[in-house]
Amino acid sequence: MTSAQVDTSGNSSGTSEASEEGYERGLGSRQVQMIAIGGAIGVGLFLGAGANIAKAGPSLILMYALAGGIIFFIMRALGELLLYRPVSGSFAEYSREFLGPFFGYFTGWTYWLMWVVTGMAELTAAAIYVNYWFPSVPQWVTALVFLVILFGVNLISVKVFGELEFWFSMVKVTALIGMIVIGLGVLTFGFSAAGDTASVANLYQFDGFFPKGVGSSLMTLQGVMFAYLAVELVGVTAGESENPEKTLPKAINTLPWRIALFYVGALTVILCVVKWTEFAPGVSPFVAAFAKIGIPAGAGIVNFVVLTAALSSCNSGMYSTGRMLRNLADSGEAPAAFRKLSASKTPALGITVSVLFMGIGVVLNYVVPEKAFGYVTSVATAAGIWTWLMILISHVLYRRAVDAGRLPASAFPAPGGAKFSWVAIVFLLFVTGLIAYDADSRVCLYVMAGWAAALGVGWLVLKNRNPEVAERREPAPLEKVG
């Protein structure tokens, strides 16, 4: 069966709940594809890579490749679940179904937190990029202006969000391909100010491929994983995609070449053109490389591109937080007011509340502008790791149910069944251990512990007010599309 699976009760399953959710199917194939591509190209690469290059040197390329393989395992696990039952609540829904109501509640709120703090990070990065042109403008002012503009876009309609995200992603993709081509030209023909020193030998001749040691390289994995946050956003679009059965598998299957080209390929070229010792934390390696090459206005153009990447991710954050709050409200795990859709079929209240919390990032840019990015990225990474773990564990439990004949098979099975999900689970636990080991990033685990305690108290209050919230419920039957 390709378009829909049929459950044992005769209900059609594995399609869409759009009509029941009330969302508009306003995201076409080209928009979903670009959202998926854009989700894999963010500020973690454009800005965060500078600090990681300083820590790991050329070996950062290997770290991105390793983490990229794990991300593909996660996305194939998510893809199998999405084609079994594509819903806008996505990870929270699967956690709720396979692990129980508390895990759905915890995952939904934690994913909301991830995007709120990611939005803070992107606003911080955008403000840093604008300072390149206007150093006299305070970071917090720029962050506030961008916050208000993107808020307005998300309230209009999902079509406007999708179209803006399409063009944001188009700018990022075109620019990265251009950077790679120019970098290869410098390496091959030796033109520009960097031509005399550009060489593949730059990958190993300055204290080797692992100049700071393998341990230091592994410690960058936490920053590398932050760079991949948002690849799972394609799952949130399931309830608003025109044809999820076709667009979602295609978006997920193109992930390996996107990672190979945009992350591994781009970093390899950049580190061949400019030796790794010339990069520094807080400066985009792409901006620094084009400044070194000496192309007129090149660094300014790249700075515009990385600004676009930051705004794109913040735009996605506003989109996903509103949907997640509505899913939580549908399950009785958030105030019922979040269920209401505006006239344009957007969860306006959920978006508004999320944006108000993202405004904390504006305050951080006012109080500690030099540390704001590091603080919020570590918290976002920890929340993202939890979300990915829930996807993987839900997938393992789903495969067990399929093998036992309790649930229908998905039209998009992950290769190797649940084996690669187990590999990814072990890897994510290893990264969590690295975070705990690093004194600078360890603070995010304290934040997450406080967050877990707060959610635990909230769960007890919810159970006391409405005991039905804690009861397992069979997922609602989904109607067939097309």
Side-chain angles (χ1 to χ4, degrees):
M1 299 179 206
T2 57
S3 63
Q5 302 295 333
V6 178
D7 67 21
T8 54
S9 63
N11 293 319
S12 107
S13 179
T15 50
S16 172
E17 273 179 347
S19 63
E20 292 163 13
E21 292 181 342
Y23 289 123
E24 175 187 9
R25 287 199 169 277
L27 296 176
S29 177
R30 69 182 177 88
Q31 292 167 326
V32 172
Q33 293 298 322
M34 271 301 178
I35 287 171
I37 292 173
I41 308 170
V43 71
L45 171 65
F46 284 123
L47 180 60
N52 288 325
I53 289 172
K55 291 178 183 176
S59 65
L60 184 64
I61 298 167
L62 181 60
M63 297 302 105
Y64 270 104
L66 173 62
I70 297 299
I71 290 296
F72 181 60
F73 297 157
I74 295 170
M75 289 303 294
R76 280 307 302 256
L78 177 59
E80 182 164 2
L81 291 169
L82 285 171
L83 267 291
Y84 149 67
R85 198 164 73 90
V87 286
S88 187
S90 196
F91 342 109
E93 274 295 304
Y94 303 134
S95 300
R96 193 173 287 118
E97 178 179 352
F98 294 106
L99 287 101
F102 173 77
F103 287 93
Y105 158 83
F106 195 99
T107 301
W109 278 110
T110 301
Y111 192 65
W112 175 84
L113 174 71
M114 186 200 89
W115 270 114
V116 165
V117 294
T118 298
M120 294 179 193
E122 308 300 0
L123 288 170
T124 300
I128 291 171
Y129 298 145
V130 170
N131 275 359
Y132 177 85
W133 295 298
F134 306 104
S136 61
V137 178
Q139 277 186 209
W140 71 269
V141 173
T142 310
L144 180 60
V145 170
F146 286 138
L147 184 70
V148 172
I149 292 173
L150 293 177
F151 174 51
V153 167
N154 272 270
L155 288 184
I156 298 173
S157 76
V158 68
K159 286 184 178 180
V160 174
F161 158 78
E163 199 61 30
L164 183 63
E165 199 57 31
F166 174 84
W167 289 108
F168 273 156
S169 295
M170 184 66 78
V171 169
K172 291 187 287 187
V173 169
T174 304
L176 268 179
I177 292 174
M179 292 177 205
I180 292 171
V181 171
I182 291 172
L184 289 174
V186 172
L187 280 170
T188 305
F189 303 108
F191 62 81
S192 88
D196 292 338
T197 56
S199 169
V200 175
N202 284 338
L203 294 179
Y204 55 82
Q205 68 180 6
F206 297 98
D207 297 323
F209 189 69
F210 292 91
K212 301 290 185 71
V214 175
S216 183
S217 298
L218 290 174
M219 290 304 294
T220 65
L221 281 174
Q222 50 187 305
V224 169
M225 295 308 288
F226 173 76
Y228 285 120
L229 290 183
V231 293
E232 76 291 326
L233 179 65
V234 69
V236 183
T237 70
E240 294 171 272
S241 303
E242 288 178 352
N243 191 349
E245 291 82 3
K246 291 183 179 179
T247 56
L248 296 179
K250 184 177 180 182
I252 291 169
N253 278 336
T254 56
L255 187 65
W257 72 259
R258 284 186 268 130
I259 289 172
L261 177 64
F262 298 132
Y263 278 93
V264 178
L267 277 176
T268 300
V269 170
I270 288 291
L271 289 170
C272 285
V273 171
V274 182
K275 59 185 179 181
W276 72 270
T277 54
E278 295 188 24
F279 296 108
V283 178
S284 168
F286 296 91
V287 174
F290 269 68
K292 175 75 173 178
I293 290 172
I295 296 176
I301 293 170
V302 176
N303 197 67
F304 170 74
V305 173
V306 295
L307 171 62
T308 300
L311 295 179
S312 168
S313 186
C314 190
N315 187 41
S316 297
M318 291 183 188
Y319 168 85
S320 58
T321 49
R323 272 72 184 170
M324 196 56 70
L325 284 181
R326 185 166 186 251
N327 175 262
L328 287 163
D330 282 337
S331 300
E333 297 161 358
F338 288 130
R339 297 182 63 183
K340 188 177 180 181
L341 294 178
S342 68
S344 57
K345 297 185 178 181
T346 61
L349 180 60
I351 294 171
T352 303
V353 170
S354 301
V355 167
L356 289 175
F357 276 94
M358 286 182 191
I360 296 173
V362 176
V363 177
L364 283 174
N365 276 283
Y366 178 75
V367 179
V368 283
E370 71 286 351
K371 296 181 179 179
F373 187 76
Y375 284 159
V376 294
T377 54
S378 63
V379 175
T381 302
I385 287 174
W386 173 270
T387 301
W388 290 334
L389 282 171
M390 290 301 99
I391 291 171
L392 294 165
I393 295 171
S394 295
H395 177 249
V396 169
L397 295 175
Y398 166 70
R399 287 304 297 245
R400 286 182 184 174
V402 171
D403 292 342
R406 296 192 305 271
L407 288 176
S410 170
F412 187 47
K419 294 184 183 68
F420 290 118
S421 288
W422 280 114
V423 171
I425 288 169
V426 171
F427 179 85
L428 292 178
L429 293 176
F430 173 68
V431 173
T432 303
L434 293 178
I435 293 173
Y437 181 76
D438 184 8
D440 290 335
S441 59
R442 191 183 304 147
V443 64
C444 76
L445 297 182
Y446 301 141
V447 172
M448 289 304 296
W451 175 252
L455 287 182
V457 171
W459 182 250
L460 292 176
V461 172
L462 277 174
K463 282 206 312 181
N464 287 333
R465 288 184 177 179
N466 182 12
E468 291 182 3
V469 168
E471 295 177 2
R472 277 187 181 265
R473 298 183 297 275
E474 290 298 318
L478 309 179
E479 65 178 36
K480 188 174 180 178
V481 175

